[in-house]
Amino acid sequence: MDATDEVIEICRDLLRIDTTNTGDLDTSVGERVAAEYVAEKLAEVGFQPEIHESEPGRASVVARFEGEDPSRDALLIHGHLDVVPADASEWSVDPFGGEIKDGYLWGRGAVDMKDFDAMVLALVRQMKREGRKPPRDVVLAFVADEEAGSTYGAQYLVEHHARHFEGVTEAIGEVGGFSVSVGGDQRLYLIETAEKGIDWLRLHAKGRPGHGSMINDDNAVTALAEAVARVGTHRFPVVLTPTVRAFLEQVSQVLGIELDLDDPEAAVGKIGPIAMIIGATLRNTANPTRLAAGYKDNVIPSRASATIDCRTLPGQSEQFEAELRRIVGPDIELEYIHRQPAIETTFDGDLVAAMSAALRAEDPGALAVPYMLSGGTDAKQFAKLGIRCFGFSPVRLPADLNFGALFHGIDERIPLEGLQFGVRVLDRFLQQS
């Protein structure tokens, strides 16, 4: 079977394996089943995959595809097998049914990121069947736990099985290489060269406990609520990183608009739905996500807490923390519960040239541009090994599809033609990389 046909079958199989990651070891499911499926598909064509289980059920797969010249630096291709939860009552289809309709394959993980997993599997299986090798060694990693911070997946591999990544200097992974239509036959393909840092914090307020019927001017809930409100309404200043500046300059040129570096949001507002992602990379952000206080309706608690999802620009972590402390005030305690630094690389070199050439070969209207992801991926873990990481999961999208809204969204789906396009681009890319 040709890879452009098999990719649909493999992606459908993966979507039907419920790999929901709740962030809780007791309720996350399916990663071991998915890892065994991937390992079987790899072994079937001659690979020697290894499954590594960090905790029962939390499994990742790694295999090396020997290249024509093993003396060259190796390339890592990584994808995660877990998905965020899906409430079936909100969907128009079964989120784990792998349904095909209207030219799309539907299901939780269709864009995040079992589509890319399937593209890679289908392609390397075809290459093995045809006796083709990539120009250099390629390490394939299909990992667990990306959706809850990578602890049981990429982080575990980096800390306990780094031997798999010896000689690897560059990597490609998710959330890059997708098209954004900007008019006519021109399509931008956004290559991720940077990711904001992840700083998940808890704010803690202390106060005087007491009966809910009494006057209390030292109420922990009140103090916390006021601090959370200040954080939630605060807008951090615009800081243009090299990646964001390069993106805005290229987009402005393509759209024929003047770029005012003092007001970059004006340019962002003209690029359509993707503006939601790009706009979040102009500044540091802090969004309250959870509140916790008390144990009884008529008892004023002595402590109240809130969780804040903070995302920081490269090089901005210290400035961000200082500003956040000023916003919440001296009486609020800050506790880091998860912290991963931002990463950024330049948009140049042979790998970037190979991406651009592969995209143009399949879409003459393609223009590859760098961008920063407002979220985070496993790239943060692999970057710890000195690997230069890019987001390059190529897919050509319909002009009217709000791709960004499908990530963790309802009725997640991927166009069948987009999957097949991705296989063809990745094939050309690997031949030139």
Side-chain angles (χ1 to χ4, degrees), residues 14 17-23 28-32 34-35 57-60 79-85 96 108-114 117 142-154 174 378 408 412:
L14 288 172
I17 302 173
D18 182 352
T19 54
T20 297
N21 185 353
T22 63
S28 295
V29 297
E31 287 169 329
R32 176 78 199 197
R58 313 308 299 271
S60 301
H80 63 85
L81 296 171
D82 61 322
V83 299
V84 296
F96 299 104
R108 174 59 85 218
V111 302
D112 188 13
M113 62 171 300
K114 291 178 177 179
D117 295 333
F142 301 86
V143 304
D145 198 37
E146 191 275 345
E147 296 293 3
S150 307
T151 302
Y152 301 107
E174 64 176 324
D378 286 324
H408 300 187
E412 186 178 347

Side-chain angles (χ1 to χ4, degrees), residues 127-148:
M127 292 177 69
K128 273 286 194 179
R129 289 193 299 265
E130 295 173 348
R132 289 194 288 136
K133 289 185 176 183
R136 53 172 166 164
D137 280 10
V138 174
V139 176
L140 307 169
F142 301 86
V143 304
D145 198 37
E146 191 275 345
E147 296 293 3

Side-chain angles (χ1 to χ4, degrees), residues 125-418:
R125 280 169 56 83
Q126 177 172 302
M127 292 177 69
K128 273 286 194 179
R129 289 193 299 265
E130 295 173 348
R132 289 194 288 136
K133 289 185 176 183
R136 53 172 166 164
D137 280 10
V138 174
V139 176
L140 307 169
F142 301 86
V143 304
D145 198 37
E146 191 275 345
E147 296 293 3
S150 307
T151 302
Y152 301 107
Q155 181 178 326
Y156 175 78
L157 291 177
V158 167
E159 293 178 352
H160 299 280
H161 298 283
R163 61 181 174 82
H164 286 300
F165 311 105
E166 289 178 5
V168 174
T169 57
E170 298 170 313
I172 62 168
E174 64 176 324
V175 204
F178 56 92
S179 67
V180 176
S181 296
V182 290
D185 290 328
Q186 179 75 73
R187 276 165 297 282
L188 305 179
Y189 283 82
L190 277 58
I191 312 298
E192 185 211 300
T193 58
E195 294 181 5
K196 294 180 80 173
I198 300 174
D199 297 272
W200 292 340
L201 294 165
R202 286 206 179 100
L203 306 184
H204 301 291
K206 297 178 180 178
R208 186 177 72 250
H211 199 286
S213 66
M214 301 295 180
I215 295 174
N216 188 319
D217 56 4
D218 186 21
N219 188 315
V221 176
T222 302
L224 178 74
E226 291 174 344
V228 168
R230 289 194 296 272
V231 171
T233 58
H234 182 74
R235 291 295 173 267
F236 292 84
V238 170
V239 178
L240 290 184
T241 63
T243 294
V244 174
R245 183 186 292 265
F247 172 85
L248 291 174
E249 289 173 347
Q250 291 207 40
V251 168
S252 297
Q253 183 175 352
V254 169
L255 295 178
I257 60 175
E258 185 176 348
L259 173 61
D260 181 359
L261 294 179
D262 293 325
D263 183 23
E265 289 172 311
V268 171
K270 297 179 180 179
I271 59 176
I274 200 67
M276 182 170 61
I277 293 177
I278 302 301
T281 64
L282 298 177
R283 49 167 54 87
N284 298 314
T285 59
N287 285 306
T289 56
R290 302 181 70 181
L291 296 169
Y295 56 89
K296 199 171 186 296
D297 293 347
N298 63 347
V299 176
I300 298 171
S302 62
R303 185 178 176 88
S305 302
T307 303
I308 312 294
D309 184 346
C310 307
R311 307 296 172 121
T312 53
L313 296 168
Q316 287 285 305
S317 184
E318 291 184 6
Q319 297 94 318
F320 170 81
E321 182 177 332
E323 187 166 1
L324 186 65
R325 288 189 180 278
R326 179 185 61 78
I327 295 165
V328 301
D331 297 329
I332 301 294
E333 176 190 345
L334 265 62
E335 175 195 5
Y336 281 93
I337 56 175
H338 190 79
R339 197 172 194 182
Q340 295 184 19
I343 58 173
E344 186 169 27
T345 188
T346 53
F347 190 63
D348 55 18
D350 292 341
L351 201 70
V352 171
M355 294 178 198
S356 300
L359 287 167
R360 286 195 304 271
E362 293 296 330
D363 179 2
L367 174 63
V369 298
Y371 91 107
M372 180 186 296
L373 179 65
S374 57
T377 75
D378 286 324
K380 286 184 170 61
Q381 300 301 323
F382 296 120
K384 294 177 182 177
L385 298 176
I387 298 172
R388 187 183 183 206
C389 296
F390 296 88
F392 185 62
S393 174
V395 58
R396 179 171 172 173
L397 300 167
D400 59 351
L401 181 67
N402 187 349
F403 191 57
L406 296 179
F407 285 82
H408 300 187
I410 298 168
D411 284 343
E412 186 178 347
R413 60 198 182 275
I414 188 77
L416 299 178
E417 291 182 356

